[in-house]
Amino acid sequence: MKTKLASSIKNEGRLFTPATYNITSFEEDIPKAQKISQKEKVDLENLLKNEFHEYSKNNICLDIIDLNEIKKINDILALKIIASVDWSDNEKNWIQKGIALHKNKKKCLFCGNKISENRFLELNKLFSDRVDETNNLLVALIDDVSKRIEFIEKNKFELDQELFTPAFEEEVIEYNIKINKFINEYLAYLKDISRELKRKKENVFKVLNAVSQPNNVIQTYKKLKSESQKIILEFNKEIKEIKKSKDEARKKLLLNEVASAIETEDYRNLARDVNVEREIYFKQNKKLQDIKKQIDEVNLEIQKLDEMNQSESKAVKEINDSLKNLGNQSFTLEKANKGYMVKDLDGNIKKNSKKKKIIIFDDPMNSNDDTAQYLIITKLQSLLKNKSDYEYEQIFILTHNTHFYVNLRYRWWREKNKKATFHLIKAARKTEIKKIESENEDIKNDYDSLWHEVHWLYNNNQPQFMLNPFRRIIETYCEFQNIDPKDFYEEDAEAQKLFNANSHFIDDFYIDTNGKTKEQIMEKVARLFEENNGTFHFEKHWNNQNR
């Protein structure tokens, strides 16, 4: 259906639709489709029918006769040739023509008598040597002027009015009147020169009047030439703007056709079917992704179990080896169907007491590598999750390892009636035991624990102990934000010295070495974060601690 609509648009909009328009083009234009009024459509179509193009005709240049050339012509017109015999001009011309006619002839053309060389020499002596020279010059000048006249008569110097838009009609007509007037006057002037030169040629002995050049002929021609170039330049500039307008018109008309096409009943039915199919596809794809996710989770669990099995076997061996190295062989661990069994020195399995047990783990993460820590966390999570399987009354876990603490919790705050969390916060010789009542009060990571510590010290008015955790907070922030600590403290050198120097002292616990109140310290920290675009970060962590 879309292919049919695209073809319809292509056929109906031949004036504005690209020849390569297809279904892909149609689909890309659907989001941009927009209707236009009938009047605007007619105006845009009329604009596209405008066939004006840039004016590319060369502006023909004239070689205007300059003052030097006029002087040369006038000099030859005024030239007076003197003969050795005092004959009339007609007689001189008649004899000169006879000499020209009989040049290189052996006999007279009129009487047939033989002409000797001495006869020619005697006739030539009757005239000045300048006759031949003058005639040759006249022939050259007449030929030059004739070519100029021929060039003007064969070419058009006016602008072609049909190639210009109506906006330029008046300007072009006015220019054509002026250029035609100039050309006619200049052509008449050239013909006058040609006529006088020919008269001189007919009677080389006659002195003729000089011809005068029209006033400012060269300046007038240059001015008209500049005017035509200006008209053409402005017209071509307008044509470029019209081309841009045409491009916009084609886009608008095309998108109008697309808008009309998608309003048809056929298209609405097609769009409805596509939406149904798309919804089915998304649902099926979501099911597929869920299945893939489940497969990935199963594969990950299998991998973890394999690693656990290898790690547990390794851990059992290390425990037994360590016990042996310590000289304690009173018991050993042995793999069983479910878990592990404890065997005494004689190889007997120790019986479990029927009494409920209280289990205490005192910082079990110390001195263990990553594999052992993972094993310990997994086992303790199992103890917390499946209390009935292990038959213990209570379990206490003590730690100062934040990573261990965060990863150990299992559904902690959803079963808080069965579990309790206490934070032991120490400063100088005083330790406060604080029960954590909600998840918001609990720490999330090592960095979060530093903010907890500062908050407690602030509430207990211990400013001298706030410096060290703040130094570690700033170092961590700079590392994660890729900020040079020097740049962080750039605006407050005192703060850098305060946090770095006073966080390593070994003075009496009750002596305030920094001289700052808790409020002054907090003010400095807030300003440092503000100067490093970290106000939101500071307020979030400090306000979270004050909930």
Side-chain angles (χ1 to χ4, degrees), residues 504-540:
H504 302 288
F505 66 86
I506 319 178
D507 296 311
D508 190 282
F509 285 119
Y510 297 105
I511 298 177
D512 185 359
T513 60
N514 69 72
K516 302 289 183 183
T517 65
K518 64 180 182 178
E519 290 82 6
Q520 291 172 330
I521 293 173
M522 290 308 303
E523 182 181 348
K524 271 189 175 293
V525 174
R527 188 169 61 254
L528 284 170
F529 273 94
E530 180 183 358
E531 290 167 351
N532 287 274
N533 299 318
T535 299
F536 176 78
H537 179 86
F538 170 80
E539 291 179 351
K540 177 183 177 182

Side-chain angles (χ1 to χ4, degrees), residues 402-451:
T402 307
H403 172 75
F404 168 67
Y405 169 70
V406 170
N407 284 278
L408 183 63
R409 293 174 300 186
Y410 172 77
R411 299 174 64 180
W412 199 267
W413 295 109
R414 282 181 285 175
E415 300 176 355
K416 58 183 180 180
N417 59 320
K418 299 180 181 178
K419 301 169 183 177
T421 300
F422 298 89
H423 287 181
L424 279 66
I425 306 173
K426 183 176 182 181
R429 298 188 178 98
K430 180 180 179 181
T431 299
E432 178 189 13
I433 301 176
K434 179 182 178 182
K435 184 177 181 181
I436 306 304
E437 301 290 352
S438 69
E439 186 176 2
N440 289 333
E441 295 179 358
D442 206 353
I443 62 175
K444 308 296 187 300
N445 47 53
D446 287 341
Y447 185 69
D448 196 39
S449 69
L450 292 173
W451 285 97

